[in-house]
Amino acid sequence: YNDGTSGQDKKDSGDHETERKMEHFRIPPQSLSRSDFGGQLTEAQEALSECIATDPHFLDTFDRLVMDVVLPWLKARLLECSMGGDNNDGDAPTTFYYQRPPTLRLQPGPSAATVKPHSDSVYGHQDGELNFWIPLMNNELTGTYLWAESLPGKGDYHPLKVQYGEMASFHGTHC
């Protein structure tokens, strides 16, 4: 990790490398603001997207997450709501579409950088889209949470208290 001084990994007094933790990860301030404010946010997001799109191990892991966790959960939810089609026994095939590669957003914490409250529909996202959030670190250590509304347009944004190892689904197109 970078302590902001030398750019090198910290060593303890015994000249051993200290444990690296995501909570210590720091993004240069210029990477947190858009180019029209003198920053490099667009370039940083493009570089991250390129890394994800060209990493076969990451993409295989992502596909397994979708196939083994997300889709069975989603199909069960649809069946609970009697939206599974004419055959509600759960054995009938159901077609789902998902974004591959996914869009990965990194929000360093603690950080004063925020995004204004919005719904993804303002960016052209379609109505049937679901968002999934998987924290990559302990949010309580970083103070970084994703905020969402309980209902579209209600304005009651609240943090999704999802912990490392958990996943939240929300209708980001409208909430």
Side-chain angles (χ1 to χ4, degrees):
Y1 68 96
N2 185 324
D3 66 1
T5 57
S6 68
Q8 302 215 351
D9 293 335
K10 280 191 166 187
K11 307 271 184 195
D12 67 15
S13 58
D15 202 32
H16 296 98
E17 190 174 304
T18 58
E19 181 183 7
R20 293 180 179 193
K21 293 184 177 185
M22 285 291 291
E23 292 84 0
H24 298 146
F25 179 73
R26 297 292 183 259
I27 294 178
Q30 67 271 21
S31 294
L32 298 175
S33 58
R34 299 193 184 283
S35 58
D36 47 342
F37 296 109
Q40 301 168 338
L41 178 65
T42 303
E43 294 87 353
Q45 184 62 49
E46 287 172 359
L48 178 60
S49 296
E50 178 66 21
C51 287
I52 290 168
T54 58
D55 185 333
H57 178 71
F58 178 87
L59 293 172
D60 288 345
T61 302
F62 174 69
D63 288 338
R64 284 195 317 273
L65 173 69
V66 170
M67 298 298 186
D68 297 346
V69 178
V70 174
L71 293 181
W73 172 83
L74 185 55
K75 185 170 183 179
R77 293 277 304 171
L78 290 172
L79 291 171
E80 285 174 20
C81 298
S82 299
M83 298 178 69
D86 294 333
N87 183 354
N88 283 340
D89 65 7
D91 292 330
T94 305
T95 301
F96 292 96
Y97 297 93
Y98 66 98
Q99 179 182 331
R100 184 184 193 269
T103 300
L104 185 66
R105 302 275 190 236
L106 295 180
Q107 173 63 43
S111 173
T114 61
V115 175
K116 68 178 182 171
H118 68 278
S119 64
D120 289 348
S121 62
V122 300
Y123 300 110
H125 291 242
Q126 55 98 6
D127 191 44
E129 181 177 292
L130 285 176
N131 295 55
F132 289 86
W133 182 45
I134 305 171
L136 299 177
M137 63 188 75
N138 182 336
N139 302 340
E140 292 177 10
L141 294 177
T142 64
T144 303
Y145 292 94
L146 180 69
W147 292 60
E149 293 175 289
S150 60
L151 294 170
K154 192 166 183 182
D156 63 343
Y157 290 93
H158 59 281
L160 300 178
K161 297 284 186 163
V162 179
Q163 298 302 313
Y164 176 78
E166 298 177 334
M167 177 170 42
S169 173
F170 63 101
H171 197 204
T173 303
H174 295 286
C175 294

